[in-house]
Amino acid sequence: MYDFRSDQRFENLKPFQEKLWLSSPTMHGIELEYMTQAYQTNWMSTVGSNIDEMERLLADYVGVECAAGLTSGTAALHLAIRLAGEKLYGARRAEVGTLEGHKVFCSDMTFDATVNPVAYEGGEAVFIDAEYDTWNMSPKALEKAFEIYPETRLVVLAHLYGTPGKIDEIRGICKAHKALLVEDAAESLGATYKGIQTGNFGDYGIVSFNGNKIITGSCGGAFLSNSKSDTNKIRKWSTQSREAAPWYQHEELGYNYRMSNVIAGVVRGQIKYIDEHIEQKKEIYERYKKGLADLPVTMNPLGTEGIPNYWLSCMTIHPCAMCDSMRSETGKLYRHKKGKTCPDEILDALASFNIEGRPIWKPMHLQALYRGNGFVRADGSGRGITNAYIENGKRASVGADLFERGLCLPSDNKMTEEQQNVVIDIIHECFL
């Protein structure tokens, strides 16, 4: 990688001694008290007062009836999708997933943890293109998908970078086609849509407490529902589906997915700080928006009917200001041109000064793992398209376009204004 510290454009800048992270955990002290309580009382396993209280506090904050603490957001998604499959298609024998032979519509612009659980359950993900308004699942593309695959009965929606998708439209489409909705709110805890917290809108919802999320347990996640019986089902599955018998009795497939009382102590201590973290993230977003206003870039959208949690501040470079660049499966190549740049040049420049950034999520339909899966855009299938008769010879999807031109900026809520100004200066220098 080119060392930008030796580049004349950056001669007045010095690298940070300590790394400036994209989004690192922000701890407050009370988390350690709850962890110590678990230690001192010897409740170190998957039961205890921290789990009970964390689930109660989380359910109250989000506004749902029930929450079940699990080892990760991915585990929560897996069990939510398994439960949805069982509701739709009935229980299957242990070696066959509940979605075997069925298609599931999934957000295309997301981390693969959103869609991998579909494969765990034997289903076939069909990816739905994003839209520019929110960067989330396009309602128009979802409606088109139901025209192409009318038998589909399950939709998995992710709220990207903390901005809620167009939930009313998506729920309306699901209802019209008698489909269940699983809501992946891993990135959007604390974000609201028309005054209601994300995680409330699906038949089932999930959140994540991964180390870089708006609050953290170092790991962990939770299943959200307004059904006590469904939540108890998740708790049972997450503890190896042990039956209420004096011996180890198992009548259905289970998993080792239950959150520990120690991790629950961290999350329990963090919950009261969600709104504070959101306000700090919002200030970071607003400083970027102001500091980059003179450049040919656009910040990630905030939506029109929701209030985001500002988890990550992201930006896209205008097409006219993109320098020549290309990516392979694991590599990149770009050529700087005065007045232009590209995400990879900016990310390399930041890295030279000990600053972490990240590319926008690579769409799932472009991943080698899922190249055989269906992909639907607002105008129809996005697979097998010829560019021989398309104007300008190019017909990119929204997700592919955002991936090509976008990047995630350092959004750590412990970042000082002075540190953020250095990031903004580096981005400016990349355009020189």
Side-chain angles (χ1 to χ4, degrees):
M1 184 180 74
Y2 177 70
D3 188 353
F4 285 81
R5 292 174 298 179
S6 61
D7 192 304
Q8 191 174 13
R9 292 175 293 168
F10 303 89
E11 60 183 357
N12 294 323
L13 297 174
K14 294 182 179 180
F16 292 130
Q17 290 187 340
E18 294 186 7
K19 189 160 188 173
L20 181 59
W21 298 101
L22 180 76
S23 180
S24 68
T26 299
M27 313 307 289
H28 300 273
I30 193 172
E31 302 92 342
L32 184 58
E33 294 179 25
Y34 291 130
M35 293 173 69
T36 302
Q37 181 186 100
Y39 174 82
Q40 291 176 338
T41 58
N42 210 33
W43 287 101
M44 301 291 287
S45 186
T46 55
V47 291
S49 60
N50 282 334
I51 294 178
D52 297 339
E53 188 64 7
M54 183 279 294
E55 291 177 341
R56 184 189 69 80
L57 290 170
L58 180 64
D60 285 350
Y61 181 86
V62 176
V64 295
E65 291 295 322
C66 308
L70 302 169
T71 53
S72 66
T74 307
L77 272 166
H78 182 196
L79 296 189
I81 289 168
R82 180 174 181 83
L83 183 59
E86 186 174 281
K87 295 274 187 179
L88 289 166
Y89 307 115
R92 300 295 186 95
R93 64 184 187 274
E95 68 270 21
V96 177
T98 59
L99 296 175
E100 191 73 27
H102 297 283
K103 290 179 169 59
V104 178
F105 296 149
C106 300
S107 294
D108 184 47
M109 279 281 289
T110 186
F111 181 47
D112 70 344
T114 301
V115 300
N116 285 346
V118 173
Y120 300 165
E121 287 301 305
E124 181 185 341
V126 174
F127 303 113
I128 310 303
D129 198 10
E131 56 165 12
Y132 289 112
D133 288 354
T134 65
W135 289 14
N136 291 308
M137 181 184 288
S138 162
K140 291 180 180 179
L142 179 62
E143 189 65 78
K144 182 64 67 173
F146 275 112
E147 292 178 15
I148 299 171
Y149 306 104
E151 300 303 315
T152 302
R153 291 293 177 267
L154 181 58
V155 176
V156 182
L157 165 70
H159 301 297
L160 202 68
Y161 299 125
T163 296
K166 292 181 178 175
I167 299 171
D168 279 353
E169 292 182 52
I170 290 169
R171 284 208 305 177
I173 294 167
C174 289
K175 183 177 179 180
H177 294 277
K178 298 180 173 59
L180 296 182
L181 176 64
V182 172
E183 188 184 3
D184 179 358
E187 300 176 15
S188 65
L189 176 60
T192 59
Y193 179 83
K194 295 184 176 180
I196 300 173
Q197 292 277 339
T198 58
N200 257 290
F201 297 97
D203 293 276
Y204 310 116
I206 75 97
V207 293
S208 169
F209 306 121
N210 186 42
N212 65 6
K213 294 301 189 292
I214 200 78
I215 63 168
T216 184
S218 75
C219 60
F223 170 87
L224 306 172
S225 174
N226 286 312
S227 168
K228 185 175 181 180
S229 61
D230 284 345
T231 306
N232 284 337
K233 183 82 165 179
I234 295 299
R235 291 191 180 111
K236 178 189 175 185
W237 283 350
S238 71
T239 51
Q240 299 292 14
S241 293
R242 183 182 177 185
E243 301 292 337
W247 46 81
Y248 288 93
Q249 177 77 11
H250 305 277
E251 298 175 6
E252 56 185 333
L253 190 65
Y255 306 88
N256 185 19
Y257 281 174
R258 190 71 162 127
M259 180 183 285
S260 85
N261 195 46
V262 181
I263 296 300
V266 183
V267 180
R268 178 183 177 183
Q270 287 261 296
I271 288 174
K272 67 181 291 186
Y273 295 100
I274 295 174
D275 292 339
E276 178 181 313
H277 291 187
I278 291 172
E279 187 58 35
Q280 291 164 345
K281 296 274 192 175
K282 180 180 178 181
E283 291 173 0
I284 290 169
Y285 181 93
E286 295 295 341
R287 286 199 295 265
Y288 276 129
K289 187 175 181 179
K290 181 179 179 180
L292 301 173
D294 59 331
L295 294 177
V297 303
T298 301
M299 296 297 294
N300 53 314
L302 305 181
T304 56
E305 297 181 290
I307 299 176
N309 70 358
Y310 299 91
W311 175 51
L312 291 185
S313 293
C314 309
M315 72 174 215
T316 53
I317 301 167
H318 295 177
C320 63
M322 282 281 290
C323 66
D324 293 337
S325 64
M326 61 184 298
R327 289 167 170 163
S328 65
E329 293 297 328
T330 57
K332 61 195 176 186
L333 185 65
Y334 54 85
R335 181 174 58 189
H336 179 76
K337 186 175 182 180
K338 188 175 181 178
K340 298 186 176 186
T341 188
C342 66
D344 291 323
E345 182 179 29
I346 293 174
L347 291 171
D348 283 352
L350 291 174
S352 291
F353 291 89
N354 207 19
I355 300 169
E356 183 186 27
R358 180 191 286 171
I360 295 292
W361 295 126
K362 183 176 182 179
M364 290 296 103
H365 82 275
L366 296 178
Q367 301 285 352
L369 175 63
Y370 290 118
R371 281 189 181 144
N373 292 54
F375 168 58
V376 182
R377 307 180 312 185
D379 58 355
S381 174
R383 296 297 195 190
I385 295 174
T386 176
N387 65 2
Y389 305 102
I390 304 299
E391 186 177 358
N392 298 325
K394 187 176 182 180
R395 196 184 185 194
S397 68
V398 173
D401 180 42
L402 294 173
F403 173 60
E404 181 182 2
R405 298 189 292 112
L407 67 151
C408 304
L409 302 171
S411 304
D412 195 290
N413 54 343
K414 297 176 296 301
M415 176 172 57
T416 66
E417 187 170 352
E418 291 74 22
Q419 289 173 322
Q420 189 173 358
N421 286 336
V422 173
V423 175
I424 291 170
D425 287 344
I426 290 172
I427 295 171
H428 275 85
E429 300 303 323
C430 285
F431 280 92
L432 294 182

